[in-house]
Each structure stands twice: as structure tokens, then as C-alpha cells.
Amino acid sequence: MAKKAINKVTIVGCGPGSKKYMTWYALQQINSAEVLIGSRRLLSLFPDTEADTFILNNNYKVLITRIVSLRKKKNIVVLVSGDPGFFSYAKLIIDKIDIENCEVIPGISSVQMAFAKIGRSWNDACFMSLHGRTAKLASVVKKIMENDKVAVLTDNSNNVKLIARKLLEAGLKERKIYICENLSLDEERIRKFDVSSILKIQVRDLNVIIFLDED
Ligand SMILES: C[S@@+](CC[C@H](N)C(=O)[O-])C[C@H]1O[C@@H](n2cnc3c(N)ncnc32)[C@H](O)[C@@H]1O
């Protein structure tokens, strides 16, 4: 007797946050999910889903265990922010169950959207993430010192003020800094500063920071 094929786990890049930036194919896959996994913010985009939902905080071990045990019986869709290939826990899932058992649907990354908003190309940019990674601060500062165009993901504790202080200590007060907050969401805000002004401002938690060496 032929063996029943095991469902692939679908990992959907949900873009920067507003549903209007998601692809039609991604929405179709979400619609046919039996189990929908994602952060509270992403799950709230689909209040009418008939799938069983599982809210992901930082419980990645539980996430992997659940996927491994459910994937033989159910059609699982995992929602990730932005693009699954860019600083995403999609990697943990693919490393664990292998790409042959996954379908990865790309999404618009927060950095793509940030560059679109400031009207710059991103093919010549460098990318780093401080999201949950205090230890990376020195490497981020080094990257900014060595490159003209650097985009950094931050969080509320590993934030742009920490970077700005280090840049001032290193004498890089001329860098221009774009702060791109809540992209595609309510209270979206795009602002441009010099390094010392950053120390005086309030920044929303969800942001992409772009450092440019320009006049
Ligand atoms: C874990 S990373 C995921 C990045 C995601 N894979 C991507 O391609 O955008 C989360 C970080 O992405 C950035 N981010 C995600 N959505 C954003 C948005 N709507 N506006 C600004 N930054 C966002 C923030 O820096 C946040 O801390």
C-alpha cells in the first residue's frame, strides 16, 4: 500500500505587518491551515481563522516540539514577520525538519520597506540585527564605521541610543540616521537625524535604523 505523504510545514513571510503587503498565495495558504502558529501580533491579522492557533512568545523549543509532533497529522502554517530568510526563527524550523519538509513563502522584509520609504536602493547595504542580541553591539558599531550604508534591526533594550553613544565616542558624529518605525502599521513614522540628536528622542519599539555616510 502506498504511504500517505506527510504534510509540508508552510512558513509564511507576513511582511512588515499590514495584511495589504502579503501575497495572495500566502493568504491562500493561511486560509487552508489546520494549525496556525505565530506571534500574537501576526495571529491578530486572522481573527476569523478556523485553524487551531498557537501563540508564540519566545518559546521556540515548544514550537519545534509541537511542529514535529503535529506535522504528520495536520496542515501547519507558521507565520513569521517580514521575510523568513532574514533574521527569522524560520531557520530553526528548517534546520530541525529539513527544507524538503517545508514550503517557505517569501515576504517583504522590514528592511526592504524601510529602504523603499527613504527612497534608497538596498543592493549595496550591509545588514545587522541587535534584536535580542546585546552582545552584537560592538560588531554593529564596527560595521557602521566601515560601511556607508548599514541597516540595523533593534529592540527596546538593544536600541539606537546605545549605538549613537558608541558612534559619538568613536568620533562619527556626521553619520545620518533614518529611524523607520511601525512600518505599514498605525503610527508609522520615518525620521532623519544626526547622531547627537538621537540621544534626545523617543523611539517606538518596532523599528529599522539606517545609517548613511552622506552630506
Ligand atoms: C526578529 S526580527 C525579524 C525580521 C523579519 N524577518 C524581516 O524580514 O523584517 C524583528 C525585527 O524586525 C524589525 N521589524 C519587523 N517589523 C517591523 C515594522 N513593521 N516596522 C519596523 N521594524 C520592523 C524590528 O527591528 C524588529 O525588532
Side-chain angles (χ1 to χ4, degrees), residues 15-18 41 60 80-89 107-112 129 131 152-155 180-185 205-209:
S18 162
R41 173 167 77 88
Y60 299 121
V80 303
S81 77
D83 183 74
F86 191 76
F87 296 108
S88 172
Y89 60 80
I108 297 174
S109 174
S110 55
V111 292
Q112 278 176 278
S129 177
H131 181 97
V152 182
L153 305 183
T154 73
D155 61 31
C180 308
E181 300 162 271
N182 285 16
L183 291 158
S184 84
L185 302 169
D205 289 350
L206 205 53
N207 65 69
V208 174
I209 315 290

Side-chain angles (χ1 to χ4, degrees), residues 130-184:
L130 270 182
H131 181 97
R133 306 163 186 229
T134 315
K136 290 272 175 199
L137 180 61
S139 345
V140 166
V141 172
K142 186 165 180 281
K143 193 69 107 181
I144 297 166
M145 290 167 76
E146 291 172 353
N147 294 280
D148 293 348
K149 198 186 268 186
V150 180
V152 182
L153 305 183
T154 73
D155 61 31
N156 55 359
S157 44
N158 303 299
N159 58 38
V160 66
K161 292 190 185 192
L162 290 183
I163 305 174
R165 279 196 199 99
K166 294 283 179 198
L167 292 179
L168 288 173
E169 280 168 30
L172 263 78
K173 62 179 179 17
E174 304 303 332
R175 283 289 195 281
K176 294 292 171 280
I177 304 181
Y178 285 89
I179 302 194
C180 308
E181 300 162 271
N182 285 16
L183 291 158
S184 84

